[in-house]
């Protein structure tokens, strides 16, 4: 059997994982910004053509 004093001890805290930094060329940064803008425009135009909320009723 295990020792009763060791069973319910708190686990030691872990060090938080560090984020990764990625070096990107200015051209790639521009291309990514352009891609994001295009995606936002597509979503906006798509949402504009969707029908508005229909009135609820029986």
């Amino acid at each position: 059997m295990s020792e009763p004093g060791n069973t319910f001890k708190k686990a030691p805290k872990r060090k938080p994982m560090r984020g990764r930094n990625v070096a990107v060329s200015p051209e790639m940064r521009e291309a990514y910004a352009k891609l994001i803008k295009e995606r936002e425009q597509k979503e906006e135009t798509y949402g504009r053509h969707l029908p508005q909320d229909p009135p609820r009723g029986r």
Side-chain angles (χ1 to χ4, degrees):
M1 240 181 170
S2 64
E3 299 175 17
N6 246 358
T7 307
F8 299 107
K9 279 192 175 178
K10 228 179 196 181
K13 290 190 176 183
R14 295 183 181 182
K15 291 183 180 178
M17 291 185 69
R18 297 183 74 192
R20 294 184 181 170
N21 291 336
V22 180
V24 181
S25 68
E27 295 86 18
M28 286 292 291
R29 193 172 299 189
E30 264 185 49
Y32 189 67
K34 184 179 175 185
L35 181 74
I36 291 172
K37 285 181 185 177
E38 287 177 1
R39 186 178 296 160
E40 286 175 352
Q41 288 174 349
K42 283 181 184 178
E43 286 180 11
E44 185 181 324
T45 56
Y46 177 76
R48 196 179 308 148
H49 295 292
L50 289 177
Q52 298 301 318
D53 293 335
R56 291 187 180 180
R58 289 185 177 184

